[in-house]
Amino acid sequence: MNDKTRGGQFLVKETKCEDIFTPEDFNEEQLMMRDSVKEFVDKEIWPYKDRFEKKDYAFTEECMKKAGDLGFLSVAVPEAYGGMGMGFVNTCLVCDYISGATGSFSTAFGAHTGIGTMPITLYGTEAQKLKYVPKLASGEWFGAYCLTEPGAGSDANSGKTKAVLSEDGTHYKITGQKMWISNAGFCSLFIVFARIENDKNITGFIVENDSDNGITMNEEEHKLGIRASSTRQVFFNDTKVPIENMLSERGNGFKIAMNALNVGRIKLAAACLDAQRRVTSNAIKYAIERVQFNTPISQFGAIRYKLAEMATSCYAGESATYRAAKDIEDRIRIRESEGNSHQEAELKGVEEYAIECSILKVAVSEDVQNCADEGIQILGGMGFSEDTPMESAWRDARIARIYEGTNEINRMLSVGMLIKKAFKGHVDLLGPATKVQEELMGIPSFDTPDYSELFAEEKEMIAKLKKAFLMVAGGAVQKYGPELDGHQQLLTAAADILIEIYMAESTILRTEKLAKKEGESNVQEQIAMAKLYLYKAVDIVTQKGKESIISFAEGDEQRMMLMGLRRFTKYTNMPNIVALRELITTKLVAETEYCF
């Protein structure tokens, strides 16, 4: 297992389908967990969507307590602190299926189990973990995370909140303002970030919620979506925090915040998946029932187009999310086998795949928004009405592109982290990029390839798309060097290429693995989705590659790179994508729901 592909290496190493984890690989325990969570949501959350939309914050808290009673808040918590101690795949699995009914509950759940609890389990002292984590794991207490300030959003380390050591050295006094704090209205403790003196980096603290200790809040924020997610501004005025409640070391707060975001990003991707399934299933049912011109609209090509695309983006999101989740879980186990503590192993395991976490956050958050938008369109006027679940799904989805780092930040991070890994020697980009340059100077092969095996050409296309990225990124690094960070439009275009490569490859590998297990004839719709996704990915790579090249290359270099881009995006046997969509939609309509 130690030769397992490391974070970012998917770009320069061929991955075999047998080496990735897919939703079809869930074991009996995981399937039971999934079914338990679905039963909870279908019984306790979905029938009461109107209460969430009417800003019933008390009901959100009530549902959180029920989730705690069933153990769902404790999946990722080690057994020593009252948790189930399950692996990272299980953590994502629960986050996936518990989050699809409403963004209000999804946000409360994610904020509590992730950034509200995880910093203590991963950075806390033994005493801190024993004191706080069992209460958080059971739902007796709820957690909130205080990082964002009016002047510190994406630039998280620029916060002005101060922590001043008392004269007797027993406690810190925290003073400052935090905003957009999820769960603030019913939390028992805050993870608060403040600056001590003129430290370069902020420091983390565990602060119990006590109104008699200088903690006040504004009223609930009125938001576009996630309406019953408690969101308030929190003010600290000489709030006393015992020195033993400092989280990790002084000045380590920025590191805590960034690592918490890495975990949050892949969990956010997971949290968008069941929302897509539900939106797609509701759209399918409506399209079957809605008759116009004496025909169910599910038979109209324009509607069938939308349903196929919605299902395909969901299938791709599942494929990539669970691939990355298992990679992280395996890396954690490798670290533990090498003697690392659980804390260190999990931190390093997630950090290893920070690139993939950013990719997933961007891709899936944008897919769920598009899916909900098309859901509204299929329902027409009814989709715009509060009487159907579509408009609330659209509103709830919008926040996903903003929190856990905006998608703009994550696009730049994904490419920036990859380049840093290359400079550190963790990912060999130079060797493959040099080979691509040599290939551009050489004469292309005119041999007729053998595409008789399933996905033979598709996997060759993935390999060529990787070359396109290496060509673009390599040229950009040569041109701008360390100043590349200042060219954000170029970075985001390169990121879109990187995102499409990972998502398309994950979808193809999942389907290839499934076809080997079930037989090609039994998974024709999944094969169609994999091919459809790749077809669209090639178009995006072509567009973004061209945009990138003409932004930094000129003359002969530009002509050579554009020629190379055409070579690397040439799809010899392009599939009939209308036929692919027809195949996918026929299955969806027959099953009356998302069924993959």
Side-chain angles (χ1 to χ4, degrees), residues 454-474:
L454 176 65
F455 292 140
E457 183 173 8
E458 285 74 17
K459 288 195 284 186
E460 183 182 279
M461 279 302 308
I462 291 290
K464 291 195 295 187
L465 296 184
K466 292 177 182 181
K467 291 177 182 179
F469 177 85
L470 290 167
M471 177 183 68
V472 169

Side-chain angles (χ1 to χ4, degrees), residues 387-575:
D387 291 336
T388 65
M390 284 299 175
E391 62 87 32
S392 61
W394 184 88
R395 287 186 289 100
D396 285 350
R398 187 60 185 86
I399 188 62
R401 287 155 55 193
I402 297 171
Y403 56 25
E404 307 296 350
T406 66
N407 283 13
E408 291 73 25
I409 287 287
N410 274 285
R411 277 183 163 90
M412 291 184 285
L413 274 175
S414 63
V415 178
M417 288 187 293
L418 182 63
I419 292 171
K420 285 179 182 176
K421 275 202 163 203
F423 284 136
K424 289 180 179 178
H426 294 171
V427 179
D428 178 18
L429 293 185
L430 181 60
T434 301
K435 289 181 180 177
V436 171
Q437 292 291 334
E438 293 171 353
E439 185 175 338
L440 288 177
M441 302 298 291
I443 300 172
S445 171
F446 295 102
D447 294 341
T448 303
D450 179 9
Y451 292 144
S452 57
E453 288 191 12
L454 176 65
F455 292 140
E457 183 173 8
E458 285 74 17
K459 288 195 284 186
E460 183 182 279
M461 279 302 308
I462 291 290
K464 291 195 295 187
L465 296 184
K466 292 177 182 181
K467 291 177 182 179
F469 177 85
L470 290 167
M471 177 183 68
V472 169
V477 171
Q478 284 183 332
K479 174 79 173 182
Y480 297 115
E483 296 178 359
L484 181 59
D485 285 352
H487 297 268
Q488 293 189 352
Q489 293 188 52
L490 173 55
L491 281 172
T492 55
D496 283 336
I497 299 174
L498 189 66
I499 289 166
E500 293 305 320
I501 290 168
Y502 188 72
M503 300 299 290
E505 181 181 64
S506 300
T507 308
I508 287 168
L509 291 174
R510 172 189 181 180
T511 310
E512 182 187 13
K513 186 175 186 179
L514 183 61
K516 287 184 177 181
K517 178 183 177 183
E518 303 291 342
E520 289 182 35
S521 61
N522 295 316
V523 293
Q524 287 299 302
E525 294 82 11
Q526 289 92 329
I527 291 171
M529 287 190 288
K531 290 184 175 183
L532 177 59
Y533 192 96
L534 178 62
Y535 175 89
K536 297 187 72 176
V538 172
D539 269 358
I540 293 170
V541 173
T542 302
Q543 176 195 346
K544 296 297 181 177
K546 183 177 180 180
E547 179 183 322
S548 300
I549 291 164
I550 62 178
S551 74
F552 70 83
E554 297 177 341
D556 289 342
E557 181 189 19
Q558 184 186 99
R559 283 190 288 274
M560 184 181 73
M561 293 183 77
L562 289 173
M563 180 184 69
L565 181 65
R566 286 192 293 272
R567 185 192 302 183
F568 296 144
T569 54
K570 183 182 178 182
Y571 207 151
T572 305
N573 299 301
M574 282 189 288

Side-chain angles (χ1 to χ4, degrees), residues 45-60:
I45 308 292
W46 185 259
Y48 306 104
K49 279 181 67 70
D50 61 319
R51 295 185 65 176
F52 292 103
E53 296 314 306
K54 292 174 181 175
K55 304 181 183 179
D56 192 339
Y57 304 106
F59 185 60
T60 300

